[in-house]
């Protein structure tokens, strides 16, 4: 059985200062999102419209995918279909090998992370350089992104300074962001110039036109596909929208939800290959049709990968992205990952306080916390819960469902727990108490307090004086 979320989170929260800083940094991004959302009076109307467009697209997905393929082919692109990650990787490798490519630059693509494309290509002798700065940083570390929009958000500038000193030979101890960014720029510039092909993800595919839209803040996707003549775009089938006029709804929501910007710095449109070049679009299913077939989880495919649910999630902010052990962490990842492999990701739906904050900020109105609750029941039905949680929940149901047992448990807790030495409560057998303190136990139960109040309830004066007046 894979390590649970709580086990992996242990390593992150041991560094209390980093955990606190991670929490506050993401909350700052969430605050910027709130300000950006409030700046648009029509914000809620946009959310409703985006949700409706996505649901409509899903209902007619097969038709729109065929339309997209026809239109993209008319524009000169070559469209490929991949049922799963293995087929996706094979198609990309064959395209590169058929063109003799050994050096590839790649912009941010969570789909290729999901398919583990980089190690597959590297195994076949192809150098893959992630050109997004955050992704390049974690690639140098040999790690995956810890956040879908902010891949290196778990690292401080001092960490990056040490990494760049080791990998790019910058000055020892340097941590000035401008200096480090310039070093990365020079390093990546050389990779761009030498690249024989560019690979990108896709933010939106437009069925009506056959075009694709890629949003970045660094312009790395544009540069990566402008110099080499071969452009490969990898796109999950859920990224489709029906019409060009629908795009404005999502562009207004995406950047504001992700980082609090009015719009991403570069929203690049590609309609067919550039003159003398080739554009290959790889449409990938990899379990999406299975999720679409489920009425409980279908809405999770509406996701536009803004990361807003992660920035607001109290569990993600305090436990870090790597504790999810999944390509897409946070609340949306805790829905998508069990759909791929519920035995491996059984603990993720429980890494949630069900506060509903993720649902509140989701720009396409995915009912995230409801789906997470549904997953908990599904994990139980599949008998994938660890025994301690399984029987712990059964015990809790027995106590909460039996009146006399509930009263007895409360009485014992009030009388015994406050008298116990601290080490008997806060020890390794009580993981709940690692970062929490129990509240003060009341002397009386709620029932006892209510009974006392009713017995000592004062008589209403108004009723007494009214009675005297009438007499």
């Amino acid at each position: 059985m894979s390590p649970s979320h709580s086990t992996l989170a242990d390593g992150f929260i041991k560094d209390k200062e980093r955990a606190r800083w991670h929490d506050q940094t993401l909350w700052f991004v969430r605050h910027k999102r709130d300000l950006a959302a409030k700046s648009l009076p029509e914000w809620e109307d946009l959310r409703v419209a985006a949700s409706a467009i996505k649901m409509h697209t899903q209902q007619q997905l097969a038709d729109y995918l065929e339309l997209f393929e026809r239109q993209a082919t008319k524009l000169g692109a070559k469209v490929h279909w991949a049922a799963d990650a293995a087929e996706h990787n094979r198609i990309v490798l064959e395209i590169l090998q058929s063109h003799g490519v050994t050096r590839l630059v790649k912009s941010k693509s969570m789909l290729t992370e999901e398919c583990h494309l980089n190690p597959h290509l590297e195994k076949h002798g192809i150098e893959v350089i992630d050109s997004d700065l955050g992704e390049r940083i974690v690639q140098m570390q040999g790690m995956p992104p810890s956040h879908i929009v902010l891949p290196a958000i778990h690292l401080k500038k001092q960490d990056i300074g040490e990494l760049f000193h080791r990998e790019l030979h910058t000055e020892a101890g340097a941590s000035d962001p401008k200096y480090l960014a310039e070093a990365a720029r020079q390093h990546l510039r050389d990779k761009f110039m030498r690249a024989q092909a560019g690979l990108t993800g896709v933010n939106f595919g437009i069925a009506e036109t056959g075009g694709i839209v890629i949003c970045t803040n660094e312009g790395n996707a544009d540069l990566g596909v402008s110099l080499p003549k071969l452009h490969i775009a990898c796109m999950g089938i859920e990224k489709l929208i029906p019409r060009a006029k629908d795009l404005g709804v999502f562009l207004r929501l995406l950047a504001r939800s992700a980082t609090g910007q009015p719009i991403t710095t570069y929203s690049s449109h590609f309609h067919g290959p550039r003159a003398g070049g080739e554009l290959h679009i790889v449409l990938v299913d990899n379990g999406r049709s299975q999720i679409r077939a489920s009425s409980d989880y279908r809405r999770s495919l509406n996701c536009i990968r803004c990361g807003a649910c992660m920035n607001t999630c109290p569990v993600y902010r305090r436990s870090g992205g790597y504790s999810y052990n999944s390509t897409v962490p946070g609340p949306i990842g805790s829905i998508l990952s069990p759909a791929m492999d519920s035995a491996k990701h059984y603990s993720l739906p429980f890494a949630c306080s069900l506060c509903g904050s993720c649902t509140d900020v989701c720009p396409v109105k995915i009912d995230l916390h409801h789906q997470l609750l549904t997953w908990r029941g599904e994990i139980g039905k599949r008998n994938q819960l660890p025994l301690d949680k399984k029987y712990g929940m059964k015990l809790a149901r027995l106590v909460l469902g039996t009146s006399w047992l509930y009263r007895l448990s409360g009485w014992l807790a009030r009388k015994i727990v406050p008298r116990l030495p601290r080490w008997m409560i806060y020890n390794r057998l009580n993981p709940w108490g690692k970062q929490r303190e129990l509240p003060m136990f009341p002397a009386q139960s709620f029932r006892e307090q209510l009974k006392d109040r009713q017995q000592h309830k004062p008589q209403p004066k108004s009723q007494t004086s009214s009675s005297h007046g009438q007499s």
Side-chain angles (χ1 to χ4, degrees), residues 292-454:
R292 178 172 168 263
S294 165
S295 58
D296 289 327
Y297 310 117
R298 186 177 302 141
R299 279 179 173 273
S300 63
L301 293 179
N302 290 1
C303 179
I304 57 173
R305 301 292 193 270
C306 67
C309 61
M310 299 167 201
N311 302 338
T312 197
C313 176
V315 177
Y316 177 88
R317 286 189 280 115
R318 290 169 175 81
S319 62
Y322 292 146
S323 63
Y324 290 80
N325 194 25
S326 177
T327 302
V328 180
I332 186 64
S334 299
I335 297 169
L336 297 173
S337 301
M340 299 286 184
D341 186 345
S342 60
K344 178 181 178 183
H345 300 293
Y346 71 94
S347 67
L348 296 188
F350 298 90
C352 169
S353 64
L354 297 179
C355 66
S357 184
C358 49
T359 301
D360 288 343
V361 301
C362 178
V364 286
K365 297 183 78 69
I366 302 173
D367 54 340
L368 289 144
H369 69 295
H370 290 296
Q371 293 189 35
L372 287 167
L373 183 60
T374 304
W375 256 121
R376 292 184 183 185
E378 185 65 30
I379 295 290
K381 288 177 188 172
R382 296 183 185 184
N383 203 26
Q384 292 170 332
L385 281 175
L387 292 180
D388 58 342
K389 186 177 283 293
K390 179 179 179 180
Y391 289 107
M393 290 298 104
K394 285 183 180 294
L395 178 62
R397 184 174 67 178
L398 176 65
V399 172
L400 293 172
T402 310
S403 182
W404 69 267
L405 193 54
Y406 177 76
R407 289 198 300 275
L408 176 63
S409 303
W411 183 86
L412 289 171
R414 289 194 303 279
K415 300 301 178 187
I416 296 175
V417 175
R419 293 176 172 79
L420 294 176
R422 184 176 176 81
W423 64 266
M424 288 191 69
I425 303 173
Y426 300 99
N427 54 52
R428 63 185 181 87
L429 298 178
N430 178 21
W432 187 91
K434 283 184 179 176
Q435 287 190 310
R436 307 178 181 92
E437 290 285 331
L438 285 171
M440 186 75 74
F441 279 72
Q444 293 178 301
S445 69
F446 174 78
R447 290 169 185 270
E448 290 167 345
Q449 291 179 40
L450 180 63
K451 188 176 179 181
D452 276 357
R453 289 188 183 189
Q454 287 176 336

Side-chain angles (χ1 to χ4, degrees), residues 24-268:
Q24 292 181 347
T25 303
L26 287 172
W27 188 248
F28 173 72
V29 180
R30 156 70 203 268
H31 180 62
K32 285 178 64 183
R33 173 264 170 207
D34 289 349
L35 295 177
K38 287 176 183 173
S39 69
L40 286 184
E42 66 273 30
W43 180 256
E44 289 304 318
D45 293 335
L46 287 170
R47 291 180 72 206
V48 171
S51 177
I53 292 168
K54 280 287 187 178
M55 292 311 298
H56 166 76
T57 310
Q58 283 198 43
Q59 288 166 359
Q60 301 186 32
L61 186 60
D63 294 335
Y64 281 129
L65 283 169
E66 289 179 0
L67 175 60
F68 176 80
E69 181 185 28
R70 287 196 301 273
Q71 297 299 84
T73 303
K74 280 183 186 176
L75 294 170
K78 296 180 181 177
V79 179
H80 308 259
W81 297 82
D84 53 27
E87 188 170 12
H88 164 264
N89 292 348
R90 179 182 59 76
I91 290 170
V92 173
L93 178 63
E94 286 177 356
I95 296 170
L96 294 175
Q97 288 180 332
S98 67
H99 289 75
V101 173
T102 56
R103 297 185 300 275
L104 173 73
V105 288
K106 183 165 78 68
S107 68
K108 189 185 292 176
S109 165
M110 296 312 295
L111 175 63
T112 59
E113 294 289 338
E114 171 188 321
C115 296
H116 305 293
L117 178 66
N118 285 17
H120 180 75
L121 296 181
E122 288 164 356
K123 189 171 68 178
H124 289 83
I126 296 174
E127 178 192 68
V128 183
I129 299 296
D130 283 314
S131 57
D132 174 88
L133 178 55
E135 288 212 326
R136 183 64 184 135
I137 289 169
V138 293
Q139 187 185 29
M140 285 181 183
Q141 284 192 317
M143 298 293 288
S146 71
H147 187 291
I148 61 173
V149 175
L150 311 164
I153 191 64
H154 59 291
L155 297 176
K156 293 185 175 183
K157 58 183 181 181
Q158 291 82 1
D159 302 323
I160 297 167
E162 289 178 17
L163 176 69
F164 279 14
H165 174 62
R166 191 168 63 247
E167 299 290 335
L168 305 182
H169 310 297
T170 54
E171 294 175 17
S175 60
D176 176 58
K178 287 185 178 177
Y179 171 73
L180 296 176
E182 181 58 28
R185 187 176 292 116
Q186 295 302 324
H187 162 70
L188 286 171
R189 180 74 56 170
D190 177 59
K191 300 297 182 184
F192 281 125
M193 295 300 292
R194 296 176 62 247
Q196 298 163 304
L199 188 147
T200 67
V202 174
N203 289 91
F204 304 101
I206 305 170
E208 177 185 56
T209 66
I212 56 174
V213 180
I214 303 167
C215 303
T216 70
N217 277 326
E218 300 171 16
N220 55 305
D222 303 73
L223 190 54
V225 300
S226 295
L227 298 177
K229 292 185 176 180
L230 177 60
H231 175 188
I232 303 172
C234 301
M235 170 179 155
I237 57 174
E238 84 283 9
K239 294 295 183 71
L240 213 57
I241 57 174
R243 304 162 300 183
K245 70 177 185 180
D246 297 326
L247 184 63
V249 174
F250 294 97
L251 290 181
R252 299 183 80 191
L253 288 167
L254 177 62
R256 287 180 171 88
S257 298
T259 56
Q261 298 169 245
I263 195 167
T264 45
T265 309
Y266 299 88
S267 298
S268 304

